[in-house]
């Protein structure tokens, strides 16, 4: 006698679509709704009203009129492309008001299959947030939360090239916290970190919006000053000096006076690259430290720039 086995029941296509972790919506060629799976409902089953035609969704997904007009124009350009080449999947990504009332970044992938319009929806909000944070972390010094050396050099080289093209002035400052080793040896590295953070904060409060501040490493900082002559940069350097040193730093269980030395240089026609200007700014900084610290020295100025 032959042995009989029960054949397991296969799930329906509808059940499989509902089980997918991504949204699936199906419309006819005129965008009348045929099917939404559960993941799509989680995104766009608004309590306001049911959506029977795709055009009824726009006002719910994009309450702001100008943004809605912009996205609709993009959408229909892509729909026209999908009609012209049904084999090509179109991809759009927009910041959309979803069922929960919150803004989500949703990626839309769609194409025509004969007379059927197939739309796949992916909520990429968290992915984009993480990508943005990773890009931010790649440019930021984690201790001070100002720009790091790598980002500063990228921005500064771009500014140098632009200054060469436009013949606009460009200046650089380099800054060093005086006797920082003594701070670390006397109070510990935790207080040393607090001093670096506090100096960065005071620099940021003193500088102009167009200036670019970065921590170059240790207790060293640099400031890029686009559109700024040597005279203007020197005046700003002294304002920076006063902003950092005029009052003691108020740290946990400690008030501490700090001193800084500042060197500066304006980009000159003979500078073959940004590195040449930065070298002259560093040379001015070393001159300030050799002269007793607690001062500003500017390389590109004739005469003595170390007097306040």
């Amino acid at each position: 006698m032959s042995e009989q086995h029960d054949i397991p029941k296969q799930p329906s296509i509808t059940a499989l679509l509902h089980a997918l972790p991504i949204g699936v919506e199906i419309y006819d060629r005129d965008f009348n709704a045929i099917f939404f799976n559960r993941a799509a409902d989680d995104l766009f089953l608004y309590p306001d009203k049911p959506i029977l035609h795709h055009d009824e969704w726009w006002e719910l997904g994009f309450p702001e009129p100008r943004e809605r007009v912009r996205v609709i124009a993009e959408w229909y350009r892509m729909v026209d492309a999908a009609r012209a080449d049904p084999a090509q999947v179109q991809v759009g990504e927009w910041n959309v008001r979803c069922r929960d009332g919150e803004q989500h970044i949703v990626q839309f992938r769609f194409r025509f299959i004969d007379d059927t319009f197939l739309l796949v929806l992916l909520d990429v909000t968290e992915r984009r947030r993480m990508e943005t944070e990773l890009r931010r972390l790649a440019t930021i010094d984690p201790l001070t939360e100002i720009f790091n050396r790598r980002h500063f050099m990228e921005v500064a080289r771009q500014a140098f090239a632009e200054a060469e093209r436009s013949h606009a002035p460009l200046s650089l400052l380099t800054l060093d916290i005086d006797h920082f080793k003594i701070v670390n040896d006397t109070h510990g590295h935790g207080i040393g970190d607090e001093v670096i953070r506090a100096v960065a904060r005071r620099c940021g409060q003193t500088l102009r919006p167009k200036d670019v501040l970065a921590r170059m490493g240790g207790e060293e900082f640099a400031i890029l000053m686009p559109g700024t002559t040597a005279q203007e940069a020197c005046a700003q350097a002294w304002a920076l000096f006063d902003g950092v040193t005029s009052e003691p730093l108020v740290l946990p269980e400690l008030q501490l006076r700090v001193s800084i030395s500042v060197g500066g240089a304006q980009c000159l026609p003979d500078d073959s690259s940004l590195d040449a200007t930065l070298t002259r700014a560093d040379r001015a900084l070393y001159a300030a430290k050799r002269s007793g610290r607690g001062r500003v020295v500017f390389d590109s100025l004739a005469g003595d720039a170390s007097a306040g």
Side-chain angles (χ1 to χ4, degrees):
M1 181 181 293
S2 62
E3 191 174 334
Q4 293 184 349
H5 298 278
D6 291 335
I7 299 174
K9 184 179 179 180
Q10 299 299 314
S12 67
I13 295 297
T14 299
L16 290 173
L17 289 173
H18 279 306
L20 289 174
I22 58 176
V24 176
E25 297 184 355
I26 302 174
Y27 299 84
D28 66 18
R29 66 176 296 105
D30 297 318
F31 289 97
N32 295 301
I34 297 174
F35 172 82
F36 301 149
N37 75 346
R38 291 193 184 97
D41 284 346
D42 287 343
L43 286 172
F44 297 137
L45 183 60
Y46 298 93
D48 312 49
K49 68 175 184 178
I51 299 170
L52 302 179
H53 189 280
H54 191 272
D55 285 353
E56 297 171 351
W57 172 72
W58 293 112
E59 192 169 341
L60 297 170
F62 298 92
E64 202 284 309
R66 285 180 298 182
E67 178 68 0
R68 184 164 65 247
V69 168
R70 183 187 70 80
V71 174
I72 288 174
E74 289 182 10
W75 169 265
Y76 279 109
R77 282 197 298 269
M78 295 169 69
V79 167
D80 289 342
R83 290 189 191 277
D85 184 3
Q88 180 68 38
V89 175
Q90 304 295 319
V91 181
E93 193 168 296
W94 296 291
N95 197 348
V96 188
R97 174 185 172 268
C98 290
R99 175 186 180 178
D100 60 6
E102 300 295 326
Q103 297 294 123
H104 293 249
I105 302 172
V106 179
Q107 188 178 97
F108 296 71
R109 293 174 173 262
F110 56 89
R111 59 173 292 191
F112 282 95
I113 302 176
D114 296 328
D115 285 339
T116 301
F117 181 79
L118 178 62
L119 173 61
V120 174
L121 306 162
L122 296 89
D123 186 342
V124 295
T125 308
E126 184 61 20
R127 185 190 308 173
R128 296 295 177 257
R129 186 199 67 77
M130 291 179 63
E131 289 169 352
T132 300
E133 180 63 9
L134 287 172
R135 285 194 296 270
R136 188 189 74 84
L137 291 175
T139 66
I140 296 297
D141 169 61
L143 177 64
T144 60
E145 296 192 347
I146 62 175
F147 290 130
N148 59 23
R149 179 187 180 90
R150 186 180 72 174
H151 184 68
F152 178 85
M153 295 302 292
E154 289 175 359
V155 172
R157 288 191 173 106
Q158 292 170 7
F160 182 87
E162 176 58 30
E164 278 194 317
R165 285 192 297 269
S166 63
H167 304 291
L170 176 69
S171 293
L172 289 171
L173 302 179
T174 55
L175 179 158
D176 190 273
I177 302 173
D178 294 330
H179 306 295
F180 185 72
K181 185 177 184 303
I182 295 176
V183 173
N184 273 338
D185 291 346
T186 304
H187 302 287
H189 290 276
I191 291 297
D193 287 349
E194 292 291 340
V195 168
I196 290 172
R197 276 194 286 264
V199 168
R201 188 164 52 250
R202 286 191 175 181
C203 287
Q205 292 167 349
T206 305
L207 294 170
R208 305 164 300 178
K210 67 179 180 179
D211 298 331
V212 180
L213 170 67
R215 182 183 177 210
M216 303 299 276
E219 69 276 21
E220 300 175 3
F221 299 83
I223 300 102
L224 178 72
M225 296 184 157
T228 306
T229 65
Q231 290 80 4
E232 293 166 338
C234 190
Q236 187 65 30
W238 278 109
L240 179 69
F241 180 90
D242 291 339
V244 172
T245 64
S246 59
E247 297 291 337
L249 302 179
V250 180
L251 307 174
E253 302 180 1
L254 178 68
Q255 289 194 12
L256 188 67
R257 283 198 173 274
V258 296
S259 172
I260 61 173
S261 298
V262 185
Q266 181 180 343
C267 294
L268 299 176
D270 292 341
D271 289 343
S272 58
S273 67
L274 172 78
D275 291 336
T277 311
L278 191 56
T279 296
R280 290 192 294 106
D282 283 339
R283 188 170 64 204
L285 172 62
Y286 298 145
K289 296 180 84 67
R290 286 196 304 270
S291 301
R293 297 181 170 84
R295 65 194 63 211
V296 173
V297 172
F298 215 95
D299 177 84
S300 305
L301 288 177
D304 183 9
S306 64

